[in-house]
Amino acid sequence: MGAATTYKAQGIVLHTVRYGDTSLIAYVLTDVAGRQTYLVQGACGGKGKGNKSALFQPMFPLAFEGIALRRSQMDRMKDIRLLEPLRSVPFDVRKSTIALFMAESLYKLVRESEADTTLFAFVREAILALDRMEEGVANFHLWFLVQLSAFLGFYPGNHYTAGDCFDIVEGAFVDRMPDHAIVLNRPNAALLAELMTCGVEQLGELALARSQRADFLTSLLHYFGYHFDTVYKMQSIRILSEVF
């Protein structure tokens, strides 16, 4: 298989596929090389410490040693451990649903296989913030998508003024409805502006009805879909709408 080189890495689990009887293919956002694909041999084999499959849940933060084989399309992993134990996400259906949505969003939207330490730090801190949250959980996925747009290259390009709507084509707040219909209406534009400046610790102060969250998410997905049509294929959106 050729010479191997090893490296230390941190990663966030985005997606996994069972491979054979005992192994996994894991898609991971890493701090050292962006999105990477790993063959995790023996992850599903045996019991107790020999079974690593429980570590590969959506958005679990890992530390591991990567093994790059010269003639292999996928790196390997060894010495895998949790970087930070998640104390509430796996056990709170609201948070685990959001984690699934976050992981699928990143899996569908982030394709670069080069280091982006700023993106990785944002994602890592976001899942840890969700794990710690007590108030505002129902608004977290909206905040996450708005903040993620900055790393994907289409964060709103100007400041909001009261009464503006948001022109998706131009990527900017505007004071009148454009001729086309590719917009966020005024209430959704106002919420977009609030989520742009809102800290995660302030999400509990956003009093949104279920219908408002659903309408804003639909509009936000249109915004993302204008740039990435893969967003419309996300399976977790249906689950998210049932929970929130």
Side-chain angles (χ1 to χ4, degrees):
M1 289 190 292
T5 58
T6 62
Y7 55 91
K8 299 287 187 182
Q10 298 177 8
I12 307 291
V13 179
L14 305 183
H15 183 64
T16 60
V17 177
R18 188 74 175 257
Y19 184 78
D21 293 331
T22 62
S23 299
L24 289 175
I25 295 173
Y27 300 86
V28 180
L29 181 67
T30 73
D31 62 335
V32 295
R35 174 177 156 162
Q36 291 294 316
T37 307
Y38 292 91
L39 177 61
V40 191
Q41 295 173 305
C44 307
K47 297 180 179 180
K49 293 184 178 179
N51 191 323
K52 298 290 187 182
S53 60
L55 298 176
F56 288 88
Q57 304 302 311
M59 295 304 294
F60 271 32
L62 305 178
F64 60 94
E65 188 168 313
I67 307 168
L69 302 172
R70 186 174 299 167
R71 297 181 183 176
S72 176
Q73 294 182 334
M74 288 184 286
D75 290 1
R76 309 298 199 263
M77 279 184 175
K78 69 175 184 178
D79 298 334
I80 309 161
R81 62 178 177 82
L82 281 176
L83 180 63
E84 304 267 1
L86 298 181
R87 305 188 185 282
S88 66
V89 167
F91 311 107
D92 183 324
V93 67
R94 301 170 306 156
K95 293 183 179 183
S96 60
T97 299
I98 291 173
L100 180 65
F101 175 74
M102 292 168 69
E104 190 176 12
S105 298
L106 293 163
Y107 175 69
K108 296 286 189 185
L109 301 173
V110 176
R111 297 290 179 175
E112 292 77 9
S113 295
E114 26 183 82
D116 186 338
T117 54
T118 306
L119 171 61
F120 181 81
F122 163 71
V123 173
R124 176 184 167 182
E125 289 306 311
I127 190 59
L128 296 179
L130 176 63
D131 194 57
R132 295 189 297 263
M133 283 184 80
E134 295 182 2
E135 302 292 335
V137 172
N139 299 324
F140 186 88
H141 59 293
L142 306 178
W143 175 88
F144 176 77
L145 273 188
V146 170
Q147 299 300 321
L148 181 61
S149 69
F151 299 93
L152 300 176
F154 52 90
Y155 194 68
N158 64 342
H159 295 291
Y160 171 78
T161 300
D164 281 353
C165 52
F166 184 77
D167 186 331
I168 290 175
V169 176
E170 296 297 327
F173 294 102
V174 294
D175 60 4
R176 64 191 67 186
M177 294 291 283
D179 292 336
H180 59 76
I182 310 173
V183 296
L184 272 69
N185 63 23
R186 288 181 171 84
N188 285 330
L191 182 53
L192 173 62
E194 191 159 10
L195 289 167
M196 287 169 61
T197 58
C198 177
V200 69
E201 68 282 352
Q202 299 170 300
L203 290 175
E205 300 172 17
L206 279 180
L208 300 178
R210 185 188 186 104
S211 59
Q212 289 177 289
R213 278 192 295 271
D215 186 57
F216 180 74
L217 179 60
T218 298
S219 294
L220 199 57
L221 291 173
H222 285 316
Y223 180 31
F224 274 67
Y226 185 78
H227 300 277
F228 295 91
D229 60 4
T230 53
V231 77
Y232 294 119
K233 301 174 184 178
M234 288 170 51
Q235 301 299 312
S236 57
I237 294 172
R238 178 184 57 80
I239 304 170
L240 198 69
S241 64
E242 291 175 358
V243 176
F244 299 104

